[in-house]
Amino acid sequence: MRLILIRHAQSLANAQGRWQGTMDFDLSNDGLNQSQRLHERFIKDALHPSHVYSSPLTRSYKTAEISFPQRTIHKIPDLRENDVGVFSGKTSEELSSEFAAIYKEFRRSRNFDLVPEAETRYQIRRRAERAVDFLIKGHNSQDFVIGYSHSGFLVYLISVILGTNRVWNLRIANTAIFDFEIDSDNWDVTNSMTSGHHHFQINKFGDDDHLR
């Protein structure tokens, strides 16, 4: 099967430099333009997915609607962004002032377990495993699946697909594309894909050429 994961276009909070988490923000004007350019790229590349899924948050769902205007977009709650607790809606400057010690340590470790009211790393990982298991094992080997999500959660989805517990601090551009070919018949969320079992291929990783 083919699986493409996409980060949403720029939101109003992105433009303001605010942490979003599960707070719901609409797309900015730049985000609307990015979504349209993604749509134009999909036309050029003649992409015809069999299934299109999205986080239920507006910034993700609207990106999906604009880039695939003729398709039904199915909302998947597990594709939502990580809950960032007390960081929600705050800028870095506000966090440095209001939660100085916590934010300083978080910037060093990137560990959400330190953030009050935030989703823990364990909870995020489990949700990513459920989402990937559905996207892959919930479809057959001939399917072409596209899922729209968020930068904070995408790094966990990618980690699960690659079969590693390591989560990278990736800078993922708005509307960036991650494109995989996966042997869905032999893939298992509990088995590492890097242990000699070659069940996937990376076609594109963080590709945002349509914005250039």
Side-chain angles (χ1 to χ4, degrees):
M1 70 173 297
R2 187 178 182 185
L3 172 63
I4 288 181
L5 300 175
I6 303 170
R7 185 191 176 194
H8 62 81
Q10 187 192 71
S11 69
L12 293 170
N14 289 153
Q16 297 168 3
R18 295 188 180 279
W19 287 79
Q20 298 173 97
T22 56
M23 292 182 70
D24 207 6
F25 290 89
D26 206 342
L27 296 179
S28 67
N29 287 335
D30 282 347
L32 294 172
N33 178 260
Q34 290 169 351
S35 300
Q36 182 60 34
R37 292 172 75 173
L38 187 63
H39 168 62
E40 292 166 1
R41 174 175 180 167
F42 289 162
I43 292 175
K44 179 181 177 182
D45 292 348
L47 292 191
H48 301 290
S50 56
H51 303 81
V52 182
Y53 300 101
S54 172
S55 156
L57 295 173
T58 300
R59 57 192 184 272
S60 178
Y61 189 76
K62 186 171 285 188
T63 302
E65 281 189 313
I66 294 171
S67 54
F68 278 111
Q70 304 303 318
R71 297 301 306 268
T72 298
I73 314 298
H74 300 279
K75 295 181 180 180
I76 304 295
D78 275 343
L79 289 177
R80 69 187 184 277
E81 180 60 294
N82 310 331
D83 189 337
V84 297
V86 297
F87 284 10
S88 300
K90 304 289 186 180
T91 65
S92 293
E93 291 76 13
E94 289 168 343
L95 291 175
S96 294
S97 173
E98 298 175 32
F99 303 98
I102 294 172
Y103 189 53
K104 180 178 180 180
E105 179 57 24
F106 172 81
R107 291 183 65 184
R108 184 192 67 80
S109 67
R110 310 303 292 184
N111 182 2
F112 276 105
D113 294 358
L114 303 169
V115 181
E117 303 175 26
E119 201 171 2
T120 67
R121 288 183 296 183
Y122 174 78
Q123 291 170 329
I124 298 169
R125 176 74 186 199
R126 292 290 293 172
R127 182 160 59 87
E129 289 176 351
R130 289 198 307 269
V132 172
D133 204 43
F134 167 74
L135 292 172
I136 296 177
K137 300 305 290 186
H139 300 84
N140 64 51
S141 59
Q142 303 304 311
D143 282 337
F144 176 10
V145 175
I146 293 183
Y148 290 78
S149 191
H150 307 261
S151 60
F153 191 53
L154 274 168
V155 296
Y156 282 86
L157 294 173
I158 292 165
S159 174
V160 172
I161 291 172
L162 298 183
T164 177
N165 288 322
R166 180 173 180 176
V167 178
W168 292 269
N169 184 23
L170 300 175
R171 292 187 178 276
I172 302 175
N174 291 111
T175 68
I177 295 169
F178 296 83
D179 186 350
F180 304 92
E181 296 284 346
I182 298 174
D183 180 359
S184 59
D185 292 333
N186 294 301
W187 191 88
D188 190 324
V189 72
T190 62
N191 292 333
S192 171
M193 293 186 179
T194 58
S195 60
H197 303 287
H198 302 294
H199 300 319
F200 78 102
Q201 173 179 304
I202 300 173
N203 297 324
K204 295 182 177 66
F205 198 88
D207 180 4
D208 64 344
D209 283 351
H210 50 282
L211 299 183
R212 304 184 191 284

